[in-house]
Amino acid sequence: MRVTQQMLNQNSIRNMSQNLSRFEKMNNQVSSGKSLHRPSDDPNGVSKAMNLKSTLSANAQFERNTNESKLWMDETGQNIDSMVGVMQRVRELAIQGNNDTYSEIDRKAIDAEIGELTEQMRGLANAKVNGRSLFNGQKTGESPFPEKGNYAFDSTDLVARTFAIGEGINIQASVLPDELFGAATEDTNIFKTLQSISASLQAGTSIDLEKTDAGIDRLLTVGAQNGVRQNRVEAVENRLLDSNLELQSMLSRVEDVDYAEAVIKLKSEESIYQASLAATAKIIQPSLMDFLR
């Protein structure tokens, strides 16, 4: 086959372009620290990296939900503890109120304190977290007991707040008023109990301690259930942290550059490109015709 000058020129330029492309690719890898810049670099690697990043993004949202649910549960637990403290004080006063040695003035003083404790309980029931009602289910913009003395509550269609803290894992993070205080129609409803204690003190009749005990037991049970859910959230949170570390490590192995190897390759490609430049310069010599064009 006859080799013409034009063929030499074309082959030299093509080879030089290929060398420059490889040199530019290695330079990008070293300067960015990433081995993947476009799907053609490594289709399978790019697909893996995209899946890993998608999973990390989902985990980041689960972590945010986990933190939010922990906040709600912590606030729920603290308020329930305060409610239990209120009811224990109510029980002490109820026992004193059943004591025949107490005078009418003493019973009035006890009744006044029961009234204050009832208001304190209403305040705890209307507690808020980040400006949102803690114990009113999804109706976080409303307080369950906004009016003093009115403890009727309609829980129809009310559901507790839940958060998605993992793939297919939803956790209840709040408690409904019926769970805490009992339904408005129940005799052991805590607000009904407080009102009946006050009525008994004013009438001078015996106070039923069983209803107070039932209220305390209900609060303790709900508080324990909340604690169990907190433990579950912490377990999920720890698993998420472990998963993120593993996913980030895998992502690094897929797309990050091995610097030692990349720098060696970069130097090699640079040398090849410089050599091709020198060789091409010798092959493509300007002729008199180039200057006359």
Side-chain angles (χ1 to χ4, degrees), residues 123-191:
L124 292 169
N126 291 332
K128 294 186 176 181
V129 53
N130 282 342
R132 290 176 290 178
S133 188
L134 182 60
F135 298 119
N136 205 26
Q138 77 274 30
K139 298 179 181 177
T140 55
E142 307 169 14
S143 296
F145 305 104
E147 298 177 14
K148 181 179 180 181
N150 181 10
Y151 305 111
F153 183 78
D154 182 11
S155 59
T156 306
D157 298 330
L158 198 66
V159 294
R161 288 207 70 188
T162 59
F163 292 89
I165 59 173
E167 196 67 44
I169 304 175
N170 294 309
I171 192 86
Q172 178 182 333
S174 68
V175 181
L176 297 177
D178 282 1
E179 295 176 76
L180 274 175
F181 309 111
T185 54
E186 290 181 36
D187 289 338
T188 55
N189 175 280
I190 285 179
F191 288 112

Side-chain angles (χ1 to χ4, degrees), residues 60 105 107 119 145 154 156-157 182 192 196-198 232 237 259 261 272:
I105 295 176
R107 293 175 70 89
E119 266 304 283
F145 305 104
D154 182 11
T156 306
D157 298 330
K192 269 189 174 179
S196 70
I197 291 173
S198 179
R232 187 182 172 199
E237 182 183 32
Y259 265 106
E261 181 181 356
I272 292 171

Side-chain angles (χ1 to χ4, degrees), residues 9-207:
N9 293 350
Q10 289 175 343
N11 288 337
S12 297
I13 292 171
R14 185 179 67 253
N15 291 333
M16 189 174 62
S17 296
Q18 291 174 348
N19 293 339
L20 178 61
S21 177
R22 288 199 299 272
F23 177 50
E24 188 263 344
K25 181 180 178 180
M26 289 310 303
N27 185 56
N28 279 343
Q29 290 185 5
V30 172
S31 59
S32 67
K34 302 294 181 185
S35 61
L36 305 177
H37 292 91
R38 56 182 73 89
S40 58
D41 289 338
D42 180 0
N44 187 43
V46 170
S47 176
K48 282 183 180 177
M50 290 177 66
N51 287 334
L52 290 169
K53 287 177 180 176
S54 176
T55 305
L56 281 169
S57 178
N59 281 358
Q61 182 59 54
F62 289 142
E63 280 189 82
R64 287 192 289 272
N65 291 351
T66 299
N67 291 333
E68 183 76 6
S69 65
K70 284 174 67 180
L71 173 64
W72 279 71
M73 289 178 180
D74 288 345
E75 290 290 332
T76 296
Q78 290 172 14
N79 277 279
I80 290 176
D81 288 345
S82 298
M83 290 175 187
V84 171
V86 169
M87 289 305 293
Q88 286 174 339
R89 177 57 183 162
V90 167
R91 193 179 193 284
E92 291 174 11
L93 293 172
I95 293 172
Q96 292 174 17
N98 280 339
N99 193 329
D100 292 336
T101 61
Y102 276 64
S103 67
E104 183 67 21
I105 295 176
D106 293 333
R107 293 175 70 89
K108 283 185 178 178
I110 293 172
D111 182 34
E113 187 170 349
I114 290 293
E116 292 299 322
L117 290 171
T118 303
E119 266 304 283
Q120 186 177 345
M121 184 64 82
R122 189 174 74 89
L124 292 169
N126 291 332
K128 294 186 176 181
V129 53
N130 282 342
R132 290 176 290 178
S133 188
L134 182 60
F135 298 119
N136 205 26
Q138 77 274 30
K139 298 179 181 177
T140 55
E142 307 169 14
S143 296
F145 305 104
E147 298 177 14
K148 181 179 180 181
N150 181 10
Y151 305 111
F153 183 78
D154 182 11
S155 59
T156 306
D157 298 330
L158 198 66
V159 294
R161 288 207 70 188
T162 59
F163 292 89
I165 59 173
E167 196 67 44
I169 304 175
N170 294 309
I171 192 86
Q172 178 182 333
S174 68
V175 181
L176 297 177
D178 282 1
E179 295 176 76
L180 274 175
F181 309 111
T185 54
E186 290 181 36
D187 289 338
T188 55
N189 175 280
I190 285 179
F191 288 112
K192 269 189 174 179
T193 299
L194 292 169
Q195 288 177 322
S196 70
I197 291 173
S198 179
S200 296
L201 287 167
Q202 292 171 17
T205 56
S206 177
I207 299 171

